[in-house]
């Protein structure tokens, strides 16, 4: 059976197809909003910071006539998540879900604050799972749709990453792949987007206080959010289930199974130095 591909198509009843984007107030999520708006899609922007979402909606209104809605929601709050999921599942116009909301966590598992670890799992595992369940039935019924889980290269190298962060991204990769198999033939596409270091606000949070990550990671390894999103959408149009943006990171991915590779050893040493630095 040929791989399903996705690109925005006008709905039969009129009106533009709609994309729901979590984590739309900044970074990769905001860039998805910009690129999908310029492709004519209607948008539902989800995050906690209302003023950021409103500013983005205003910016997009000047370049696109497609409607932009705002959903202010803390996705780690189960009640708010459930209410959002119910609102989304009652619609029939959602053609794309991009789950981009995420946070970073550094430090050793046994030392990191438990509430932050649980909250990360709520955001990276429970919320994407619940929202995918909310939109999938309407996509299957229409025979068209796509779900992008913004995962990370860390999901492929989880033993070298922070245990909760890397493992949560490994879950997203497995979840996406498994759904692609389960829904094969329905016309719905699934993609696990696995970027490496990307210039966003992720590394500017208090979590990274005292760590100058840009000084530690060579400039050639930093991707722009624009490139990450562009490669993701091209991958969706080609039916790619896993997208690793950037040639250097694709080489790294190819080495993932080779435990003797120099690249992995270097990364491992850098990780150990970093962990030693951030440990209390
Ligand atoms: P940013 O910090 O720029 O964006 C994170 C987004 O998540 C913000 O819009 C933030 O909005 C939202 N968010 C955080 N917590 C919550 C919450 N509790 N409820 C709702 N929304 C929330 O980071 P990125 O754009 O880089 O991150 C996007 C995704 O990309 C993440 O899943 C991250 O793991 C992944 N990624 C990033 C990489 C990088 O190097 N930047 C590399 C690999 C993967 P608000 O604060 O307004 O709620």
């Amino acid at each position: 059976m040929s791989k399903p591909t996705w690109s925005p198509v006008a709905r039969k009843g009129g009106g533009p197809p709609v994309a729901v984007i979590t984590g739309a107030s900044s970074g990769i999520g905001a860039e998805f909003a910009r690129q999908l708006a310029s492709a004519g899609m209607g948008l539902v922007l989800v995050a906690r910071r209302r003023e950021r979402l409103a500013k983005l909606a205003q910016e997009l209104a000047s370049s696109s006539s497609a409607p932009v809605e705002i959903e202010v929601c803390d996705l780690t709050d189960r009640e708010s998540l459930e209410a959002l999921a119910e609102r989304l599942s009652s619609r029939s116009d959602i053609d794309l879900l991009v789950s981009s909301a995420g946070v970073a966590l550094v430090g050793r598992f046994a030392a990191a604050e438990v509430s932050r670890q649980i909250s990360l799992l709520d955001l990276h595992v429970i919320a994407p799972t619940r929202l995918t369940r909310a939109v999938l039935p309407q996509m299957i019924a229409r025979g068209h749709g796509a779900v992008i889980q913004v995962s990370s290269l860390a999901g492929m190298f989880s033993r070298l990453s922070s245990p909760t962060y890397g493992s949560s991204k490994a879950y997203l990769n497995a979840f996406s792949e498994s759904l692609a198999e389960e829904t094969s033939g329905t016309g719905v596409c699934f993609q696990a987007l696995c970027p490496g270091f990307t210039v966003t606000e992720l590394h500017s949070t208090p979590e990274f206080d005292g760590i100058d990550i840009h000084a530690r990671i060579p400039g050639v390894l930093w991707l722009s959010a624009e490139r990450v999103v562009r490669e993701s959408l091209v991958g969706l149009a080609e039916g790619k289930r896993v997208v690793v943006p950037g040639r250097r990171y694709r080489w790294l991915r190819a080495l993932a199974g080779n435990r003797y590779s120099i690249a992995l050893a270097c990364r491992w040493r850098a990780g150990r130095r970093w962990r030693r630095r951030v440990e209390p």
Side-chain angles (χ1 to χ4, degrees):
M1 191 177 298
S2 65
K3 290 181 292 185
T5 61
W6 181 91
S7 51
V9 290
R11 284 187 299 129
K12 278 201 187 100
V18 172
V20 177
I21 305 168
T22 73
S25 61
S26 118
I28 294 171
E31 184 58 28
F32 264 110
R34 291 190 181 96
Q35 294 192 25
L36 291 168
S38 66
M41 288 198 80
L43 301 174
V44 179
L45 308 177
V46 184
R48 291 168 302 181
R49 288 172 290 177
R50 178 185 295 280
E51 60 301 341
R52 284 286 199 102
L53 295 178
K55 199 168 165 216
L56 179 61
Q58 206 177 11
E59 173 198 320
L60 298 177
S62 61
S63 58
S64 160
S65 57
V68 181
E69 297 165 53
I70 285 174
E71 283 278 4
V72 176
C73 180
D74 181 344
L75 295 168
T76 66
D77 180 88
R78 290 285 175 97
E79 249 179 63
S80 310
L81 172 65
E82 194 53 36
L84 173 65
E86 278 172 21
R87 282 196 294 282
L88 297 181
S89 64
S90 67
R91 301 175 64 140
S92 57
D93 57 353
I94 296 165
D95 207 36
L96 176 66
L97 168 66
V98 181
S99 270
S100 187
V103 289
L105 198 59
V106 297
R108 284 197 182 272
F109 178 72
E113 209 181 299
V114 174
S115 62
R116 293 174 72 86
Q117 294 171 329
I118 300 300
S119 174
L120 179 146
L121 294 176
D122 276 328
L123 190 60
H124 290 188
V125 176
I126 303 298
T129 305
R130 181 65 189 96
L131 297 182
T132 301
R133 177 63 183 79
V135 300
L136 187 55
Q138 57 177 289
M139 292 179 181
I140 292 174
R142 259 197 329 273
H144 192 265
V147 179
I148 298 174
Q149 308 291 0
V150 183
S151 176
S152 168
L153 209 62
M156 295 172 178
F157 293 91
S158 49
R159 72 197 168 97
L160 301 178
S161 166
S162 144
T164 34
Y165 184 86
S167 305
S168 69
K169 297 300 189 179
Y171 167 82
L172 283 179
N173 293 348
F175 179 58
S176 188
E177 185 71 23
S178 173
L179 277 172
E181 283 302 321
E182 186 183 276
T183 59
S184 168
T186 64
V188 182
C189 297
F190 288 88
Q191 181 189 104
L193 172 60
C194 300
F197 289 104
T198 307
V199 182
T200 66
E201 295 176 17
L202 193 77
H203 305 107
S204 318
T205 54
E207 190 70 29
F208 285 85
D209 279 353
I211 306 168
D212 185 356
I213 188 117
H214 288 274
R216 287 159 182 272
I217 306 298
V220 291
L221 287 181
W222 286 95
L223 299 165
S224 68
E226 188 279 329
R227 179 173 182 182
V228 167
V229 172
R230 185 168 25 90
E231 291 197 23
S232 167
L233 294 176
V234 168
L236 212 52
E238 292 171 352
K240 284 190 186 151
R241 288 182 179 183
V242 178
V243 169
V244 176
R247 201 177 328 135
R248 286 185 178 85
Y249 283 115
R250 284 193 285 279
W251 288 341
L252 195 59
R253 182 199 177 195
L255 292 169
N258 177 357
R259 65 199 183 95
Y260 298 110
S261 80
I262 294 166
L264 268 183
C266 290
R267 174 68 182 80
W268 176 241
R269 278 208 304 275
R272 280 178 55 164
R273 276 203 304 275
W274 184 13
R275 266 182 233 122
R276 268 204 296 271
R277 172 94 203 277
V278 300
E279 262 172 25

